[in-house]
């Protein structure tokens, strides 16, 4: 099972429409874990299965101007490792794919094309998908696609949260991209 559906939502939290906020949470968390429970039960009963959950390296940093989205990805990154552990004595594996900024419709749909991260060069989605698929087939716990993202994740793990939030502002604040 590939639990990949998800979307972002740019702009400051207080300036967002709450229906849009709820939709991010409903899609990225509620809908995703609802499906995971149904399919996961079938896999456990059958005695085998592979699950790939698309989390994000965004789950490691407070996402100023993408706050709710990053929170949903922190949830999914954490949930993935917990579910993996719960299923460790079964033949059902759970893998968390943690991409960095990837060249998809994501930033346009999140209304972030005027931001630095929205305009910067991004990873090839085919490479990211392959890294995730291969990790799932190996039964790995997680995969961060790309060496730059691995470096960013390692730095994030030793950087204070307030500093990470400030760094995130620089790339995600509306108007932070080139005019
Ligand atoms: N792009 C990045 O930089 C990046 C980085 C880290 C993680 N991710 C994660 O990667 C996953 C895929 O995103 P993407 O980058 O490929 O963005 P995308 O091009 O916008 O694709 C999003 C996908 O999710 C589906 N989706 C969105 N909302 C849905 C809903 N409410 N119900 C059912 N399907 C829904 C979309 O289906 P439709 O096309 O039918 O709407 C589409 O297939 C997401 O979980 C995202 O958070 C992306």
């Amino acid at each position: 099972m590939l639990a990949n559906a998800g979307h972002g939502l740019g702009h400051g939290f207080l300036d967002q429409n709450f229906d849009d906020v709820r939709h991010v949470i409903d899609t990225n968390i509620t809908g995703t874990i609802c499906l995971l429970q149904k399919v996961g039960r079938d896999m456990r009963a059958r005695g085998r299965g592979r699950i790939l959950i698309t989390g994000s390296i965004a789950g490691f940093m407070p996402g100023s101007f993408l706050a709710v989205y990053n929170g949903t990805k922190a949830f999914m990154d954490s949930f993935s490792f917990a579910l993996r552990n719960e299923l460790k004595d079964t033949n059902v594996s759970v893998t968390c794919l943690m991409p960095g900024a990837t060249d998809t419709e994501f930033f346009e749909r999140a209304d972030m094309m005027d931001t630095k991260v929205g305009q910067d060069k991004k990873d090839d989605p085919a490479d990211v998908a392959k890294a995730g698929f291969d990790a799932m087939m190996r039964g790995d716990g997680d995969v961060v696609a790309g060496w730059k993202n691995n470096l960013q994740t390692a730095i994030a793990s030793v950087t204070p949260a307030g500093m990470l939030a400030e760094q995130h502002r620089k790339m995600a604040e509306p108007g932070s991209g080139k005019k």
Side-chain angles (χ1 to χ4, degrees), residues 39-60:
V39 177
R41 281 177 176 163
D42 287 349
M43 287 179 172
R44 184 176 61 180
R46 201 176 54 182
R48 69 191 164 87
R50 295 185 193 279
I51 295 172
L52 182 67
I53 296 174
T54 307
S56 175
I57 65 167
F60 295 117

Side-chain angles (χ1 to χ4, degrees), residues 117-136:
V117 64
Q119 296 176 5
D120 276 356
K121 188 172 176 337
K122 299 179 188 52
D123 296 332
D124 182 337
D127 294 343
V128 177
K130 184 166 185 339
F133 188 81
D134 290 349
M136 176 184 74

Side-chain angles (χ1 to χ4, degrees), residues 5 19 34 44 49 55-56 60-61 75 85 88-89 102 114 118 139 174:
D19 287 342
C34 178
R44 184 176 61 180
S56 175
F60 295 117
M61 49 196 117
F75 181 107
N85 183 270
K88 73 175 184 178
D89 296 325
T102 306
D114 65 338

Side-chain angles (χ1 to χ4, degrees), residues 1 7 31 38 50 79-80 89 91 93 102 114 134 136 142 150 154 156 159 162 168:
M1 175 194 185
H7 68 93
K38 287 185 201 307
R50 295 185 193 279
F79 178 88
S80 180
D89 296 325
N91 276 327
S93 66
T102 306
D114 65 338
D134 290 349
M136 176 184 74
D142 66 310
N150 272 289
T159 306
H168 204 279

